[in-house]
Amino acid sequence: MRAPLIQILLFSLLNSGSIMAGLVKSDTEDFIDWWPHTVFYQIYPRSFKDSNGDGIGDLKGITSKLRYLADTGITATWLSPIFQSPMIDFGYDISDYKAIQPEYGTMQDFEELIDTAFELGIKVVLDFVPNHSSDQHEWFKKSAAREPGYEDFYVWHDGIVQENGTRVPPNNWPSVFYGSAWEWHEGREQYYLHQFTKEQPDLNYRNPKVVQAMDDVLLFWLNKGVAGFRIDAVNHLFEDESLKDEPLSGKTTDSLSYDYTKHIYSRDLPEVLEMIHHWRQLLDDFSAKHPERPTRIMMTEAYAGLTQLADYYEDSNGVRGSHLPFNFHFITDVKGDSDARDYVYNVEKWLIYMPRGHAANWVMGNHDNPRVASRFGPASVDAMNMLLLTLPGVAVTYNGEELGMVDYRELSWEETVDPPARNVGEKLYQEVSRDPVRTPFQWNNETNAGFSTAAKTWLPVHPNYLELNLEAQKVANRSHYQVYKDLLELRKSAIMRVGRFNIEPLTRWVFAFKRSYPNFESIITVINVSDKEQLVDLSEFLSQPKKLVVEVSGVDSKYQPGQSLAASALLLAAREGLVCRLV
Ligand code: NOJ
């Protein structure tokens, strides 16, 4: 039934010239491609599944769980870095871009992972970390030694000698991870720039040799069969050549805090867009040369303004860049106390800014930010998954969010390993630590939640694993996992792929959105973001007096799938979400 319906819808769309939610008819290629409607499941390899009992997740562990992804309905995954690394920033400090981190496995393990994923119909996207390498990378060692050809691989500077003879860094730029963004190198007797930890020196993208070296890296992994890349910290790639002091933000007097300056010379420079275009071309060329495999895509990580992110999709000259500039607004712009208007605004603003002909994307969580259950409260888990998975376009889920895993905020200072948390010290570490969101995946109620047989895991398992785990959620009558799975099933229907979209706040605390197409049954999502029960009338929003039939309801809902509801008086429990079919 699915294919014909999609074809009918496609046919009428292609002849209507109408703007769909995030997709237009002029963009038919993208429209029927594999990625614009996909759910990307982020795996944090260190914490997903340990196959050899050393307490650290690994590639064989991931491969052994790909069946789980497929059974859930996941068809694409992006993996946080798996490359050789001293693990100062847990893989975001790479010492060899073409080698697998030994504690994660071997190249053969990676090839097996790719093959298994392929057999299961799962695309694999790798994390590409171009802004900085590890200080243990041979490029950095050679650059530090001024070896010919490598002198300018990184951003070096003599610093400034003050009147009293003391040498200080060239400017006031702070690192994202606290402290000066400059570090003195004894060997080279110069400062080098590091926008993250001092063990992550920034590569110099004004040097064509660096660009070439990174192209080689991308081609290496493309030839191994990956479906694309998530590009890390892309807006940090370039710095203003003047290396001028940045103006103070006025937000803090702590000159070591990243908030101290307005990052006008060290972030979001126009050159970033040129690199994005360059990489897009590389991917498109590769896809064209290898049409037997799917389109290779780029997803970019930048906590940047809407205008910039819109330009990443496609600039004002119509040059295409990132397929999916990550939209982090559900992480950064709504909170537990946000009201319905905030949510609606959050969704609309992306759709308004996104240039026509592109796929929207919604990221609900990642390894750098608190989990949904911790940001919005455990009662919101199902509603937030409903929101994520019924909006038009691409959805990005962080591993464990399908179970409603909770941050392990009680981690002690001694257990803390995240570099920004270690940098700010024992008093403040809890405010910035990303460890709580990175604890091992909770598979079952056995030792270490089934993650590992080790006596000690790299981060402790959240003690709630005895109750909160996948196995328990599979056999329960209702569970977050089952809700998640039902939503993925629903996403397969044509209306979820091509339906027109509109969203409105119904009251201060309840909003609804609709996917519809003439002559097809619409899908309605309605969400109460308050801590109180709310009674709403959907008649006006639906514009016809119709009946709603529940498609997916939350774990604690009094409504069951298949149940009919009157649109004129719908009672929603606190934080409840419902997905209904309009009949
Ligand atoms: C963003 C990554 O998601 C984060 O985990 C990392 O620490 C920084 N970039 C630096 O690579």
Side-chain angles (χ1 to χ4, degrees):
M1 278 306 284
R2 231 168 69 217
L5 180 54
I6 286 177
Q7 273 160 22
I8 295 165
L9 284 169
L10 269 172
F11 181 77
S12 37
L13 277 166
L14 302 185
N15 290 297
S16 71
S18 62
I19 293 178
M20 306 303 297
L23 292 168
V24 291
K25 71 152 233 158
S26 64
D27 201 27
T28 49
E29 245 177 64
D30 281 357
F31 189 57
I32 52 175
D33 210 337
W34 69 272
W35 56 271
H37 181 60
T38 293
V39 178
F40 287 81
Y41 182 84
Q42 180 193 351
I43 291 180
Y44 193 70
R46 216 174 166 76
S47 296
F48 198 55
K49 174 69 186 168
D50 170 20
S51 73
N52 63 354
D54 65 356
I56 296 168
D58 48 45
L59 297 184
K60 274 189 189 300
I62 295 173
T63 306
S64 73
K65 294 295 183 185
L66 288 175
R67 165 69 55 193
Y68 162 62
L69 265 61
D71 289 348
T72 306
I74 296 290
T75 55
T77 177
W78 79 264
L79 310 180
S80 280
I82 53 170
F83 317 106
Q84 188 182 296
S85 163
M87 292 289 157
I88 297 293
D89 192 19
F90 300 103
Y92 285 94
D93 49 321
I94 297 170
S95 53
D96 185 343
Y97 284 88
K98 295 184 188 170
I100 299 289
Q101 166 69 355
E103 64 192 351
Y104 291 169
T106 62
M107 194 57 85
Q108 194 187 335
D109 295 338
F110 177 74
E111 285 159 5
E112 277 167 25
L113 187 158
I114 288 283
D115 289 347
T116 311
F118 188 72
E119 280 159 25
L120 292 167
I122 297 170
K123 313 274 190 310
V124 178
V125 169
L126 292 185
D127 209 336
F128 175 50
V129 188
N131 179 65
H132 43 269
S133 70
S134 158
D135 61 352
Q136 299 306 307
H137 198 294
E138 64 162 33
W139 297 337
F140 187 71
K141 292 182 184 164
K142 288 180 177 176
S143 191
R146 297 184 198 262
E147 210 171 284
Y150 292 91
E151 302 95 324
D152 301 326
F153 248 61
Y154 294 82
V155 184
W156 296 98
H157 196 278
D158 290 336
I160 294 164
V161 182
Q162 293 177 319
E163 276 173 18
N164 63 7
T166 349
R167 193 184 292 271
V168 293
N171 60 36
N172 67 351
W173 300 353
S175 126
V176 178
F177 286 168
Y178 200 77
S180 170
W182 297 92
E183 183 72 12
W184 180 252
H185 192 281
E186 285 299 345
R188 180 155 159 157
E189 297 194 328
Q190 272 192 314
Y191 286 97
Y192 63 88
L193 177 73
H194 60 90
Q195 297 223 28
F196 295 88
T197 71
K198 64 177 171 37
E199 293 85 358
Q200 291 167 297
D202 269 48
L203 283 149
N204 174 17
Y205 278 83
R206 299 193 189 276
N207 180 349
K209 288 188 190 134
V210 170
V211 177
Q212 180 60 54
M214 283 308 193
D215 286 358
D216 286 352
V217 169
L218 292 172
L219 290 169
F220 177 84
W221 294 106
L222 286 170
N223 279 313
K224 295 235 172 259
V226 304
F229 301 94
R230 173 263 190 196
I231 306 191
D232 184 75
V234 73
N235 55 335
H236 292 267
L237 285 178
F238 287 89
E239 297 75 34
D240 192 283
E241 282 178 291
S242 70
L243 301 184
K244 280 191 284 198
D245 268 357
E246 288 180 333
L248 303 193
S249 69
K251 288 186 196 161
T252 169
T253 52
D254 180 356
S255 63
L256 301 178
S257 159
Y258 192 58
D259 278 346
Y260 186 62
T261 66
K262 289 190 200 162
H263 310 289
I264 59 169
Y265 299 129
S266 59
R267 215 175 59 187
D268 300 315
L269 266 62
E271 292 90 331
V272 168
L273 213 49
E274 290 169 24
M275 272 319 297
I276 290 178
H277 293 159
H278 173 81
W279 287 327
R280 172 66 184 253
Q281 192 61 52
L282 183 144
L283 291 171
D284 285 355
D285 289 349
F286 192 89
S287 298
K289 268 194 216 139
H290 301 272
E292 75 287 356
R293 284 267 181 142
T295 310
R296 277 54 161 204
I297 60 143
M298 177 199 309
M299 31 221 304
T300 41
E301 188 228 21
Y303 292 83
L306 262 175
T307 316
Q308 268 127 357
L309 295 174
D311 282 350
Y312 284 13
Y313 271 121
E314 182 178 327
D315 72 4
S316 52
N317 299 316
V319 183
R320 287 176 166 240
S322 177
H323 296 79
L324 300 166
F326 275 157
N327 170 3
F328 293 124
H329 291 129
F330 283 129
I331 297 176
T332 54
D333 291 24
V334 282
K335 303 190 293 288
D337 60 359
S338 298
D339 66 28
R341 298 167 302 185
D342 300 321
Y343 280 86
V344 172
Y345 180 58
N346 213 30
V347 171
E348 292 275 35
K349 71 183 178 193
W350 189 267
L351 297 178
I352 290 169
Y353 271 76
M354 181 177 71
R356 300 302 100 197
H358 292 268
N361 79 88
W362 318 95
V363 182
M364 196 48 93
N366 59 30
H367 62 295
D368 292 329
N369 290 284
R371 287 183 176 278
V372 166
S374 305
R375 294 205 308 276
F376 302 102
S380 292
V381 167
D382 294 330
M384 290 300 128
N385 278 332
M386 289 175 193
L387 172 63
L388 173 70
L389 297 169
T390 57
L391 282 171
V394 162
V396 187
T397 291
Y398 175 56
N399 59 200
E401 294 293 42
E402 71 278 30
L403 312 180
M405 275 178 63
V406 180
D407 290 353
Y408 188 13
R409 289 196 176 149
E410 296 73 19
L411 286 173
S412 68
W413 169 244
E414 288 69 30
E415 288 165 325
T416 295
V417 290
D418 187 26
R422 298 297 312 179
N423 280 354
V424 297
E426 188 169 357
K427 272 202 186 119
L428 294 176
Y429 78 96
Q430 279 170 318
E431 283 179 27
V432 295
S433 181
R434 299 170 297 176
D435 292 334
V437 65
R438 298 175 175 181
T439 57
F441 192 95
Q442 295 167 204
W443 296 102
N444 55 41
N445 63 5
E446 292 161 26
T447 311
N448 297 321
F451 161 69
S452 168
T453 54
K456 194 169 184 276
T457 53
W458 81 281
L459 274 178
V461 175
H462 195 301
N464 71 5
Y465 78 95
L466 289 170
E467 293 82 43
L468 200 167
N469 62 69
L470 174 67
E471 231 25 74
Q473 294 203 11
K474 274 188 175 171
V475 297
N477 276 339
R478 288 298 285 153
S479 67
H480 296 314
Y481 174 66
Q482 291 172 21
V483 170
Y484 188 87
K485 212 174 156 197
D486 289 349
L487 289 163
L488 289 195
E489 188 58 35
L490 175 69
R491 268 180 86 87
K492 290 183 188 163
S493 59
I495 194 80
M496 298 308 291
R497 192 179 173 101
V498 299
R500 288 162 197 271
F501 174 76
N502 65 305
I503 183 166
E504 275 177 31
L506 300 179
T507 68
R508 180 75 176 255
W509 298 107
V510 179
F511 66 96
F513 55 93
K514 179 163 63 176
R515 308 297 306 276
S516 59
Y517 199 78
N519 304 323
F520 290 94
E521 288 176 353
S522 304
I523 295 291
I524 316 291
T525 303
V526 49
I527 293 176
N528 170 12
V529 289
S530 83
D531 289 326
K532 294 204 178 86
E533 188 177 78
Q534 303 284 332
L535 181 66
V536 286
D537 178 356
L538 281 140
S539 332
E540 205 182 304
F541 175 69
L542 300 175
S543 67
Q544 307 118 322
K546 292 246 174 111
K547 208 172 66 179
L548 294 169
V549 176
V550 178
E551 275 286 321
V552 186
S553 58
V555 173
D556 299 318
S557 178
K558 62 177 179 179
Y559 304 118
Q560 300 304 314
Q563 189 176 339
S564 297
L565 306 173
S568 56
L570 181 62
L571 193 61
L572 290 168
R575 304 274 168 187
E576 173 159 30
L578 266 185
V579 181
C580 299
R581 185 176 294 278
L582 192 62
V583 291

